[in-house]
Amino acid sequence: MAYIGRGLESGAFRQLDDISSSFNGSTTAFTMQVNSANVSVGDVNQIILSLGGVIQKPDTDFTISSSTLTFTTAPVANTSFFAILLGSD
């Protein structure tokens, strides 16, 4: 079966900068950056995101708008963060 939609580019996978130092239990919106430069993606499903070692579900646990990542529930302090952007914007 053929892939429908814009294909992922090989080698365009990037790790988001760690934002966990900003987690405080009340802030839900954060700017997505790679190497301190703002980045955006075309679709929320282009992000694999882990909070505290648990993979989060796009559009349920988090959303994106331009370069803003918004969590449904504010991450508490000392929660680890890891995210990979799949493809390019």
Side-chain angles (χ1 to χ4, degrees):
M1 176 179 209
Y3 179 79
I4 298 174
R6 190 173 75 190
L8 297 177
E9 296 179 22
S10 176
F13 306 131
R14 298 168 289 167
Q15 181 178 339
L16 280 178
D17 293 350
D18 187 359
I19 58 173
S20 62
S21 63
S22 300
F23 294 166
N24 59 15
S26 61
T27 303
T28 58
F30 302 88
T31 301
M32 296 188 299
Q33 295 186 322
V34 172
N35 297 323
S36 300
N38 290 5
V39 294
S40 60
V41 294
D43 187 285
V44 70
N45 293 304
Q46 285 181 258
I47 300 176
I48 297 175
L49 189 151
S50 167
L51 281 181
V54 178
I55 300 295
Q56 303 298 297
K57 186 174 181 179
D59 280 330
T60 299
D61 299 319
F62 68 94
T63 58
I64 59 165
S65 177
S66 186
S67 62
T68 303
L69 168 67
T70 304
F71 293 103
T72 304
T73 303
V76 297
N78 299 317
T79 300
S80 63
F81 172 85
F82 181 80
I84 297 290
L85 302 180
L86 307 173
S88 61
D89 52 357

